[in-house]
């Protein structure tokens, strides 16, 4: 019996977001290059995607490469780009077996051509899958995303297609990368860091935050189940009182 058997499936989050942190430190601690940690991190990606698919969680979003990550040493950036394409290609069996649809968002035009092509092939090949949507946030910055949202809405106002007084939270959400998806109810960050780091600032407004000291390459299905179990014990009040929530 695993921790998954104790999870109340009715109340599972519909969207989990993860900041996969600690690859570099994990590798360094073993006297290896940082990229070794990223490579080992792929197993954790596979385990989490499979676990979410098995639990029938509709969306999993992974912070795979931030806009700020471009300033890392060239060698690491190159290795990460290749690892990304190699992984989405070599994991096609995992996607098929688990009915996983791959999706990517962020400033994708900043990615090298071969990377965009590889991602696009994998997305096309899994487009008909109806289980978990696996979002990869790439060259992603939540502030840049919000700047783009503001620009899009401003252009619609300028062209007369939108009145300023009609701009509301729904209009904004509809212009984000996650349009049409539920907001993440649970955000996990590994490696002991306790920050949001420019990740899904709009979408995480009401998310439960879960921080664990486990380094990403060590993160297993059991750790995900622990995070979900902890989420299930939290009372989500959305500004209401505890008594009001009990009535529902
Ligand atoms: C953060 O650890 C991790 C990343 C910037 C990259 C994550 C990439 C992977 C797990 C590999 C492939 C991913 C997919 C989705 C195929 P860090 O390097 O910042 O670690 P540190 O804080 O210890 O330096």
């Amino acid at each position: 019996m695993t921790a998954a058997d104790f999870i109340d499936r009715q109340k599972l989050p519909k969207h989990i977001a993860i900041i996969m942190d600690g690859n570099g430190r994990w590798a360094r601690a073993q006297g290896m290059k940082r990229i070794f940690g990223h490579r080992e991190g792929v197993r954790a990606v596979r385990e989490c995607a499979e676990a979410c698919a098995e639990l029938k969680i509709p969306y999993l979003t992974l912070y795979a490469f931030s806009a700020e990550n471009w300033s890392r040493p060239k060698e690491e950036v190159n290795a990460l780009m290749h690892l990304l394409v190699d992984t989405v290609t070599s994991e096609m069996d995992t996607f098929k077996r688990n009915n996983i649809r791959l999706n990517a968002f962020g400033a994708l035009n900043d990615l090298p051509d071969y990377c965009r092509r590889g991602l696009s092939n994998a997305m096309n090949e899994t487009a008909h899958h109806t289980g978990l949507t696996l979002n990869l946030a790439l060259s992603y910055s939540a502030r840049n995303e919000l700047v783009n949202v503001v620009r899009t809405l401003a252009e619609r106002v300028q062209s007369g297609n939108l009145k300023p007084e009609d701009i509301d939270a729904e209009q904004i959400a509809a212009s984000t990368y996650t349009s049409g998806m539920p907001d993440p109810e649970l955000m996990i960050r590994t490696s002991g860091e306790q920050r949001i780091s420019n990740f899904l600032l709009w979408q995480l407004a009401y998310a439960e935050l879960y921080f664990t000291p486990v380094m990403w390459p060590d993160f297993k299905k059991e750790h995900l189940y622990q995070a979900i179990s902890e989420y299930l014990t939290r009372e989500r009040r959305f500004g209401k009182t505890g008594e009001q929530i009990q009535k529902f």
Side-chain angles (χ1 to χ4, degrees), residues 9 16 20 22-23 31 44 74 85 87 106 109 150 177 182 184 226 229:
R9 291 176 187 239
I16 298 179
M20 311 180 286
N23 295 348
K74 224 176 170 162
V85 187
T87 304
N109 284 340
V150 172
Y177 292 127
Q226 267 168 26
S229 299

Side-chain angles (χ1 to χ4, degrees), residues 66-233:
S66 73
E68 292 80 13
N69 286 153
W70 291 114
S71 57
R72 291 194 174 195
K74 224 176 170 162
E75 189 195 0
E76 183 174 343
V77 171
N78 271 340
L80 268 170
M81 291 297 135
H82 280 100
L83 181 61
L84 202 70
V85 187
D86 291 351
T87 304
V88 296
T89 311
S90 64
E91 291 297 326
M92 194 47 69
D93 259 6
T94 309
F95 299 147
K96 288 187 174 155
R97 224 180 22 252
N98 294 281
N99 198 18
I100 295 171
R101 186 173 73 94
L102 186 73
N103 184 41
F105 61 69
L108 301 181
N109 284 340
D110 294 348
L111 301 173
D113 281 352
Y114 70 87
C115 194
R116 281 213 311 270
R117 263 198 312 275
L119 276 168
S120 166
N121 288 341
M123 285 194 281
N124 288 338
E125 238 182 287
T126 61
H128 62 287
H129 291 168
T130 53
L132 173 76
T133 295
L134 174 60
N135 289 322
L136 301 185
L138 292 167
S139 191
Y140 176 81
S141 145
R143 285 190 169 178
N144 290 349
E145 176 181 32
L146 292 175
V147 167
N148 289 336
V149 168
V150 172
R151 278 198 191 132
T152 305
L153 296 179
E155 280 163 10
R156 287 178 54 203
V157 169
Q158 195 175 37
S159 61
N161 293 320
L162 181 66
K163 291 195 207 123
E165 59 270 31
D166 287 341
I167 296 176
D168 56 12
E170 257 174 57
Q171 292 277 347
I172 293 174
S175 303
T176 62
Y177 292 127
T178 54
S179 168
M181 305 178 197
D183 286 339
E185 300 99 325
L186 170 62
M187 196 287 289
I188 300 169
R189 182 170 190 156
T190 57
S191 91
E193 304 293 343
Q194 303 194 2
R195 290 185 295 279
I196 309 277
S197 297
N198 207 4
F199 185 44
L200 301 174
L201 293 181
W202 174 268
Q203 296 88 338
L204 292 179
Y206 288 104
E208 293 296 331
L209 308 180
Y210 179 88
F211 301 104
T212 169
V214 176
M215 298 286 167
W216 181 249
D218 287 332
F219 198 82
K220 309 258 171 3
K221 277 188 187 183
E222 288 301 314
H223 296 113
L224 184 72
Y225 299 149
Q226 267 168 26
I228 295 173
S229 299
E230 156 93 28
Y231 161 84
L232 291 172
T233 65

